[in-house]
């Protein structure tokens, strides 16, 4: 009766409009009603559960934050090991409780800092680590038997893990005393982040080597952190992030079991890593659903230790939700995302700095990000009650719906033969890229609001940006490498690297012990990676692109604008004798290609011909391909702060080849104060994060039309 009365009251307030007008269809395909009641919880058994008890809906620990708050981490690493060490020590003094290390892209990709392919990337977006000496400097004065260390490393996991073990050993800390996590999640690299080295199958073998080694020798160390975060950042919906992440976890479990380990040998130390975005209640529901789903997925393996059933997770606030326009708004975004992670029951948390859409975080911005967590933990009172949103009609119904949708996606992956085979088919990557393109279109159309970007915009203000002197950092690393190679026993190192290559060729041999020996003898990250590469080869991913998604989402409100632009493209083609042709290139070692793929599908939908260059091109390779394909425009995508070195090198290569007629445009995270330098180099246009792609396409076409007149 009350429901009927409420519906009548609503209809009167809506002046007779259908109640359906208040429902909302999420990007996940979940219909959100304006009101939830007790009836919506009928048949959901897990809502009567308690924290610490199966299926862990309300948390993996019985007391949760009422006994111990989440671990406050800040993901950081930049420039040299000395600079990063200084940053870590200051943060530990200021209340941080654990370290999360960001390595630079050359390190991720198994290259030493002196490799010719990494000019422009050294010390950017992470710290450069080439040898044990760098690792020792990174943790100098930080007791590794007391501080938990999380390392985001996947491609070069073997040499980095080995260097960490040796650095601790030379600090006087035994490996069985080390606590923390190595990410070691290579499957998601093939889906979204692309900092892989070897093909999927041998990469999975190395994952198993790390799991097996840590299970035997490092009882306090988590051997894998299954990461949905990078899927989230690449544009995955909450369902895709949840489903694909847990499907990855299943694949790792089976891989470890294939080594003869029992489920309880390693499962208690598996951890997960999720991104937290701006759909507040969806993110809370995602973490709750993840725990229930994982417990149910692990139960058939019959663990004796209940810890094997528990999903423990680290969370990070979203980088992709940060806006370059009006960046102080990002403080509010990060705060809300951090609150969602806490209300969802995360075990540790990293909060992004407000200036990360402009460049690497400054000390000031990093302090605000860290204090955001301290304020939540110590000023709000939310740690005193376990799962405070438990029992909410909406949260419980949303949790159940999200769980059901994610389980359906997991079943789809399983039907393909598991995640490794699904990745080889290209399904997960294309699904996420389609979601990313749809979201960008919604933003461009104003269907989703980003304050200060596509609504309520203001004039730009200058902001302080952290500047890394890449040439200086690279030269410093090269000198260190030269010094170490002169002082080490080269014959011994060579023998150990040859033995490592032999071990890689033997299917049942764990390469970790030999890698530790090699790093102890002062082999480099690049040398160990290359020793494995001789057997495994270096992987080159096939280029797959989505088509039509972006154009299909333009409704009536933008239809005329799109049609007008397409007609202008046709007119250009009629006059030129061919369509305007754009090549999207990723130069350097930055594998984040979400933006590049979204741009490619949008421009193609608007009538351009579009080429996508392979990942990890050198500036010369990108210029050569642009010339060979006779493109009108070369678009350079930059996310890892290498633009000041790499873009001028592209311009120089084009000039040397006499291809000055090719327009060069840039997109991505490029600080405003760097724009003049790039324009002086001859760059025709720069499009920052949040630029509507219809606006970008119009501007590029205008530049080409001017050349025709």
């Amino acid at each position: 009766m009350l429901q009927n009365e409420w519906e009548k009251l609503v209809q009167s307030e809506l002046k007779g409009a259908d109640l359906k007008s208040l429902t909302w269809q999420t990007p996940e395909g979940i219909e959100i009603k304006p009101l939830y009641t007790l009836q919506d919880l009928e048949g959901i058994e897990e809502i009567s559960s308690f924290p610490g008890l199966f299926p862990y809906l309300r948390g993996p620990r019985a007391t949760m934050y009422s006994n111990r708050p989440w671990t406050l981490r800040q993901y950081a690493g930049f420039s040299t090991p000395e600079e990063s060490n200084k940053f870590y020590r200051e943060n530990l003094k200021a209340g941080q409780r654990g370290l999360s290390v960001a390595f630079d892209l050359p390190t991720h990709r198994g290259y030493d800092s002196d490799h010719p392919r990494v000019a422009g990337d050294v010390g950017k977006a992470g710290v450069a680590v080439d040898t044990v000496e760098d690792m020792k400097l990174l943790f100098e004065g930080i007791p590794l038997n007391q501080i938990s260390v999380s390392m985001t490393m996947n491609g070069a996991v073997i040499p980095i893990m080995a260097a960490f073990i040796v650095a601790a050993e030379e600090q006087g800390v035994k490996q069985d005393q080390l606590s923390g996590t190595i990410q070691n999640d290579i499957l998601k690299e093939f889906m979204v982040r692309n900092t892989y080295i070897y093909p999927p199958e041998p990469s999975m073998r190395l994952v198993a080597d790390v799991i097996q080694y840590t299970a035997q020798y490092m009882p306090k160390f988590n051997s894998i952190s299954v990461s949905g975060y990078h899927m989230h950042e690449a544009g995955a919906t909450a369902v895709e992030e949840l489903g694909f992440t847990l499907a990855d976890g299943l694949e790792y479990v089976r891989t470890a079991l294939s080594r003869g380990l029992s489920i309880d040998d390693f499962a208690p130390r598996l951890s997960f890593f999720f991104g937290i975005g701006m759909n507040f209640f969806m993110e809370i529901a995602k973490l709750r659903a993840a725990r229930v789903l994982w417990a149910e997925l692990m139960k058939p393996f019959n663990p004796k230790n209940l810890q094997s059933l528990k999903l423990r997770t680290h969370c990070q606030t979203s980088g992709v939700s940060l806006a370059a326009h009006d960046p102080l708004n990002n403080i509010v975004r990060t705060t809300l995302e951090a609150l969602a992670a806490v209300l969802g029951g995360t075990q540790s948390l990293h909060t992004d700095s407000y200036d990360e859409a402009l460049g690497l975080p400054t000390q000031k911005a990093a302090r605000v990000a860290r204090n955001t967590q301290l304020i939540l933990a110590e000023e709000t009172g939310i740690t005193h009650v376990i799962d405070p949103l438990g029992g909410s009609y909406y949260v419980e119904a949303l949790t159940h719906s999200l769980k059901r949708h994610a389980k359906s996606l997991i079943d789809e992956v399983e039907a393909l033969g598991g995640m490794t085979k699904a990745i080889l088919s290209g399904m997960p990557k294309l699904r996420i890229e389609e979601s990313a393109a749809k979201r960008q279109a919604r933003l461009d159309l104003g269907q989703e609001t980003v304050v200060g970007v596509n609504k309520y915009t203001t004039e730009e203000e200058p902001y302080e940006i952290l500047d890394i002197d890449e040439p200086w950092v690279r030269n410093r690393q090269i000198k260190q490498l030269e010094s170490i190679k002169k002082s080490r026993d080269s014959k011994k190192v060579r023998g150990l690297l040859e033995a490592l290559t032999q071990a890689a060729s033997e299917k049942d041999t764990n390469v970790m012990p030999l890698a530790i020996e090699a790093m102890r003898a002062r082999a480099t990250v690049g040398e160990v990676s290359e020793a494995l590469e001789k057997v495994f080869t270096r992987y080159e991913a096939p280029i797959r692109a989505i088509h039509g998604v972006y154009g299909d989402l333009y409704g009536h409100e933008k239809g005329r604008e799109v049609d007008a632009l397409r007609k202008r493209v046709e007119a250009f083609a009629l006059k030129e004798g061919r369509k305007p042709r754009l090549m999207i290139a990723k130069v350097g070692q930055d594998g984040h290609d979400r933006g590049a793929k979204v741009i490619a599908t949008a421009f193609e939908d608007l009538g351009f011909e579009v080429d996508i260059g392979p990942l990890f091109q050198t500036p010369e390779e990108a210029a050569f391909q642009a010339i060979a394909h006779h493109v009108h425009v070369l678009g350079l995508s930059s996310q890892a702060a290498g633009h000041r070195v790499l873009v001028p090198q592209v311009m120089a290569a084009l000039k040397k080849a006499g291809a000055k007629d090719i327009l060069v445009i840039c997109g991505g995270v490029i600080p405003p104060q760097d724009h003049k330098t790039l324009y002086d180099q001859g760059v025709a246009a720069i499009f920052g994060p949040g630029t509507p792609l219809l606006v970008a396409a119009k501007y590029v076409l205008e530049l080409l039309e001017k050349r025709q007149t």
Side-chain angles (χ1 to χ4, degrees):
M1 289 295 293
L2 282 174
Q3 174 126 0
N4 290 338
E5 288 183 35
W6 175 78
E7 288 180 4
K8 288 178 183 177
L9 186 59
V10 168
Q11 285 174 347
S12 69
E13 291 178 4
L14 294 175
K15 298 181 180 177
D18 191 340
L19 189 60
K20 274 278 185 185
S21 65
L22 293 180
T23 61
W24 173 45
Q25 186 84 11
T26 74
E28 291 78 14
I30 297 172
E31 189 174 87
I32 303 298
K33 303 187 299 181
L35 178 70
Y36 286 80
T37 68
L38 186 59
Q39 291 178 324
D40 293 292
L41 306 188
E42 289 179 7
I44 305 177
E45 295 179 5
E46 57 262 26
I47 61 172
S48 60
S49 68
F50 280 76
L53 299 178
F54 185 88
Y56 313 107
L57 171 72
R58 308 195 69 183
R61 293 171 53 241
T63 54
M64 289 301 288
Y65 308 141
S66 64
N67 178 49
R68 186 180 73 205
W70 63 91
T71 300
L72 191 160
R73 295 185 185 274
Q74 287 301 95
Y75 179 54
F78 55 90
S79 186
T80 63
E82 294 96 328
E83 285 296 308
S84 293
N85 172 265
K86 180 183 175 184
F87 186 83
Y88 294 157
R89 291 168 73 169
E90 287 173 353
N91 279 6
L92 288 170
K93 285 180 184 176
Q96 189 172 311
R97 302 183 185 100
L99 297 178
S100 292
V101 182
F103 296 97
D104 73 355
L105 294 168
T107 305
H108 274 288
R109 295 268 294 144
Y111 291 123
D112 288 332
S113 297
D114 60 357
H115 197 282
R117 299 194 72 89
V118 304
D121 290 311
V122 177
K124 297 286 184 75
V127 61
V129 172
D130 296 317
T131 66
V132 167
E133 295 304 322
D134 287 333
M135 194 70 82
K136 287 170 67 176
L137 288 170
L138 191 62
F139 296 111
E140 188 174 354
I142 298 172
L144 291 176
N145 58 343
Q146 298 175 31
I147 298 296
S148 169
V149 176
S150 173
M151 294 183 287
T152 300
M153 178 50 65
N154 304 285
V157 64
I158 295 295
I160 286 298
M161 191 71 184
F164 178 66
I165 290 168
V166 175
E169 174 187 288
E170 296 185 8
Q171 195 189 80
V173 178
K174 296 178 180 178
Q175 59 184 346
D176 61 4
Q177 297 175 287
L178 294 171
S179 64
T181 303
I182 187 81
Q183 191 166 91
N184 196 26
D185 175 10
I186 200 63
L187 289 173
K188 68 96 171 47
E189 298 295 334
F190 294 106
M191 272 190 274
V192 290
R193 190 163 175 253
N194 300 313
T195 52
Y196 44 70
I197 301 174
Y198 317 111
E201 291 89 346
S203 294
M204 285 296 287
R205 178 252 176 101
L206 297 180
V207 167
D209 283 357
V210 173
I211 294 174
Q212 186 180 46
Y213 186 88
T214 52
Q216 187 172 357
Y217 299 109
M218 303 174 72
K220 297 180 180 179
F221 205 83
N222 298 323
S223 57
I224 195 164
S225 174
V226 191
S227 174
Y229 179 82
H230 299 96
M231 301 180 206
H232 177 278
E233 294 297 275
T237 66
V239 165
E240 289 163 347
E241 181 188 0
L242 180 53
F244 288 144
T245 302
L246 297 192
D248 279 353
L250 271 180
E251 192 83 338
Y252 294 131
V253 166
R254 294 190 188 109
T255 298
L257 291 173
S258 73
R259 287 295 182 92
L261 297 172
S262 75
I263 193 71
D264 292 328
D265 286 337
F266 63 91
R269 288 178 293 112
L270 292 178
S271 66
F272 289 79
F273 175 24
F274 289 105
I276 304 295
M278 284 298 289
N279 188 345
F280 187 74
F281 290 105
M282 183 70 77
E283 299 299 345
I284 294 167
K286 182 175 72 183
L287 299 185
R288 303 173 90 249
R291 289 192 291 271
V292 175
L293 258 177
W294 186 246
E296 293 176 353
L297 290 169
M298 292 296 286
K299 198 170 184 182
F301 293 103
N302 299 313
K304 302 292 187 294
N305 183 351
L306 292 180
Q307 297 299 320
S308 296
L309 297 167
K310 296 181 181 181
L311 181 145
R312 290 160 295 274
T313 189
H314 171 71
C315 289
Q316 181 174 340
T317 60
S318 174
V320 78
S321 73
L322 301 178
H325 300 277
D326 212 356
L328 290 179
N329 291 335
N330 294 331
I331 298 173
V332 180
R333 294 185 179 104
T334 294
T335 302
L336 289 170
E337 290 168 351
L339 179 59
V342 170
L343 294 176
T346 190
Q347 277 60 71
S348 69
L349 179 62
H350 163 81
T351 34
D352 286 339
S353 300
Y354 66 80
D355 55 359
E356 288 186 57
L358 297 169
L360 295 170
T362 59
Q363 280 279 5
K364 176 182 176 182
R367 184 176 70 250
V368 172
R370 181 186 65 246
N371 288 347
T372 298
Q373 290 197 54
L374 293 172
I375 290 166
L376 286 176
E378 300 186 22
E379 292 189 29
T380 63
I382 58 177
T383 59
H384 299 306
V385 176
I386 303 163
D387 187 28
L389 290 181
S392 156
Y393 300 141
Y394 175 39
V395 170
E396 299 292 5
L398 186 58
T399 299
H400 185 69
S401 183
L402 194 48
K403 172 197 162 187
R404 187 164 40 83
H405 280 72
K407 181 59 168 63
S408 177
L409 187 55
I410 293 169
D411 291 343
E412 191 177 341
V413 170
E414 291 293 286
L416 290 171
M419 189 51 100
T420 302
K421 290 183 178 177
I423 285 169
L424 290 171
S425 78
M427 183 273 279
K429 187 173 182 67
L430 288 175
R431 196 74 64 86
I432 291 171
E433 287 173 358
E434 184 176 334
S435 294
K438 286 180 176 178
R439 180 166 192 265
Q440 185 61 49
R442 290 194 300 272
L443 291 172
D444 286 359
L445 295 172
Q447 293 171 350
E448 286 188 23
T449 296
V450 179
V451 172
V453 176
N454 64 355
K455 203 172 183 181
Y456 314 115
T457 57
T458 57
E459 291 296 317
E460 287 294 308
E461 296 179 35
Y463 286 89
E464 178 191 358
I465 301 297
L466 180 64
D467 182 36
I468 302 295
D469 186 348
E470 191 277 341
W472 180 87
V473 175
R474 188 170 189 237
N475 288 334
R476 179 264 180 208
Q477 291 297 114
I478 290 172
K479 286 179 182 176
Q480 281 275 89
L481 281 165
E482 290 172 348
S483 174
I484 287 167
K485 287 179 180 179
K486 283 179 183 176
S487 62
R488 71 188 184 180
D489 184 338
S490 298
K491 185 177 178 181
K492 180 180 180 181
V493 170
R494 189 163 54 251
L496 287 167
L497 292 172
E498 288 171 357
L500 186 59
T501 298
Q502 178 61 33
S505 68
E506 298 165 355
K507 187 177 179 182
D508 297 326
T509 301
N510 192 315
V511 302
M512 270 300 301
L514 273 170
I516 291 170
E517 286 298 317
M519 295 305 288
R520 188 179 285 129
R522 294 317 189 254
T524 69
V525 168
E527 288 171 337
V528 169
S529 299
E530 187 178 0
L532 299 173
E533 186 183 333
K534 288 177 180 177
V535 177
F536 298 149
T537 73
R538 186 169 280 268
Y539 184 65
E540 291 185 20
I543 300 172
R544 297 184 176 104
I546 50 175
H547 306 282
V549 174
Y550 200 90
D552 289 346
L553 284 177
Y554 278 117
H556 294 297
E557 60 182 307
K558 286 282 184 181
R560 291 178 188 170
E561 201 173 341
V562 171
D563 287 342
L565 182 57
R566 284 176 175 160
K567 285 176 182 175
R568 283 174 57 191
V569 170
E570 289 171 7
F572 176 91
L574 193 62
K575 189 172 181 180
E576 186 82 3
R578 63 190 180 110
K579 290 182 177 181
R581 188 163 189 167
L582 166 71
M583 175 182 155
I584 303 292
K586 294 286 296 184
V587 287
Q589 297 303 306
D590 174 25
H592 294 86
D593 62 350
R594 178 192 69 87
K597 290 291 184 68
V598 169
I599 291 164
T601 188
F603 272 71
E604 188 176 72
D605 290 347
L606 294 167
F608 285 69
E609 282 189 352
V610 180
D611 298 312
I612 303 175
L615 289 171
F616 314 122
Q617 287 185 303
T618 64
E620 293 77 16
E621 288 167 347
F624 178 80
Q625 185 178 351
I627 294 165
H629 288 206
H630 303 289
V631 303
H632 295 96
V633 184
L634 174 57
L636 302 175
S637 174
S638 172
Q639 296 293 335
H643 55 273
R644 285 195 294 180
V645 174
L646 297 169
V647 174
Q649 289 181 1
V650 171
M651 304 302 295
L654 290 172
K655 184 179 179 181
K656 184 177 179 181
K660 293 192 235 175
D661 58 325
I662 294 177
L663 289 176
V664 175
I665 62 174
C666 296
V669 181
I670 299 176
Q673 50 264 54
D674 287 351
H675 287 197
K676 185 179 185 301
T677 302
L678 296 183
Y679 285 133
D680 289 344
Q681 290 280 339
V683 169
I686 300 170
F687 303 109
T691 303
L693 292 182
L694 189 59
V695 171
K698 278 182 180 178
Y699 189 76
V700 170
L701 186 58
E702 284 171 9
L703 292 175
L704 294 175
E705 288 170 336
K706 285 177 183 176
R707 286 197 167 186
Q708 281 188 328
T709 56

